[in-house]
Amino acid sequence: MRTPKAMIVGLVLCPCGLLLTLVGTMTPSWRQVSLVPEQPSDLVLEQGIWDLCSERQSSHDRRCGQVDELGYFEEVPVQVARGLMPTSLVLTLLGLVVASLGVRCWQEEPRHPVAGAAGLVLLLSGLLSLVPVSWYTHELWALPAASGSTLAAGYSLVLSYLGSCLEILGGLALTFSFHRCCKKCRAPKYPPGPVREPGPLSATGAYSNPWDVLEDERDGRPWKSTLPCDSDL
C-alpha cells in the first residue's frame, strides 16, 4: 500500500518547520535596533531571547554577550518566549518520532490512529511556538530600547514564524489520518457467503466425457440427450 499523500506532506513540512524554529530560537536576532543616539551610525544592535549582539556594518565587527542595561530580558514576552520555544522544539521531536512509527513507510499498512495522534502533537508544538512569536511581534515597539532609535524585526523572528506555520500545516495534514481510520470503522462488514459445492450436474460435469457419445454412435445405439424436447412439454 502506498503512503497517503497527507502523511507525506506532514513528514515533509514538520521537519522543515523544526529546522526553522530551531534556528530562530538559537540565533540572537529577534529585533534589530539601529540609528542609536550617541552611537556610530553604522552600529546595529541585535536582540534575541538568549543573547544581545552589536555589529558595525562598515567593518563587520560583531560582538555578542552585551550587557542588558535596559532590562530587556526581564520583559514578559521575552520570558514567555524563553519558556515556550524550547518546549515547542521538544514536542516537535516527540511528534516526529511518533509520526515515523505511525506512517511506517517500510510496512504495507500505516497505523492511522498513531499518525493522527502525532499530528495533534505537532499541531500543538506549532501553536506553542506561534504564541510567543506573535506576542513578541505585537510588543516589538514596546520593549525597552534607546529613545530615538529605529526598530525592526530580525530574521530570527521571521524564521520562527515560518517554522511555526509549517509545523501547524504539517500537523493538520497528519490529523487527516483520523478520517481514514473512522472510514474503516464505519465500513459495513458483510458475513462470509456460503461455499457452494459443485453438484453432480455442474457445467463441467454434464459434458465431462465427450467420448461417450462417440461410443454410442459406434455401437449403433441412438444417443439420448438429457435436454427436454418439444414433445415432452
Side-chain angles (χ1 to χ4, degrees), residues 22 39 129 145 198:
L22 178 62
Q39 295 292 339
S129 59

Side-chain angles (χ1 to χ4, degrees), residues 3-169:
T3 304
K5 295 180 180 179
M7 293 184 180
I8 297 176
V9 172
L11 289 180
V12 170
L13 294 181
C14 289
C16 295
L18 173 63
L19 180 61
L20 293 177
T21 306
L22 178 62
V23 174
T25 303
M26 301 305 297
T27 52
S29 185
W30 283 51
R31 187 177 72 164
Q32 292 183 349
V33 183
S34 58
L35 300 178
V36 183
E38 301 180 359
Q39 295 292 339
S41 60
D42 62 342
L43 179 66
V44 177
L45 301 178
E46 294 183 348
Q47 300 172 332
I49 59 176
W50 308 105
D51 199 1
L52 299 176
C53 298
S54 62
E55 182 179 0
R56 297 287 297 272
Q57 294 182 344
S58 58
S59 60
H60 298 286
D61 183 17
R62 184 181 180 87
R63 296 180 180 179
C64 293
Q66 301 294 317
V67 180
D68 182 19
E69 299 178 352
L70 301 177
Y72 167 80
F73 289 128
E74 298 178 0
E75 295 295 322
V76 177
V78 179
Q79 294 291 331
V80 171
R82 281 185 165 188
L84 292 184
M85 295 302 290
T87 305
S88 173
L89 294 174
V90 173
L91 279 180
T92 305
L93 288 175
L94 178 62
L96 288 176
V97 172
V98 177
S100 62
L101 297 177
V103 174
R104 298 200 328 173
C105 300
W106 60 91
Q107 298 288 340
E108 295 183 359
E109 186 72 19
R111 297 179 179 179
H112 297 285
V114 179
L120 293 178
V121 175
L122 292 170
L123 177 61
L124 178 61
S125 67
L127 293 175
L128 286 179
S129 59
L130 184 62
V131 168
V133 170
S134 302
W135 192 2
Y136 189 97
T137 304
H138 181 71
E139 300 290 337
L140 182 68
W141 288 269
L143 295 176
S147 59
S149 57
T150 303
L151 306 178
Y155 68 89
S156 301
L157 191 64
V158 177
L159 293 179
S160 300
Y161 183 80
L162 292 177
S164 303
C165 294
L166 290 180
E167 290 176 4
I168 292 174
L169 293 177

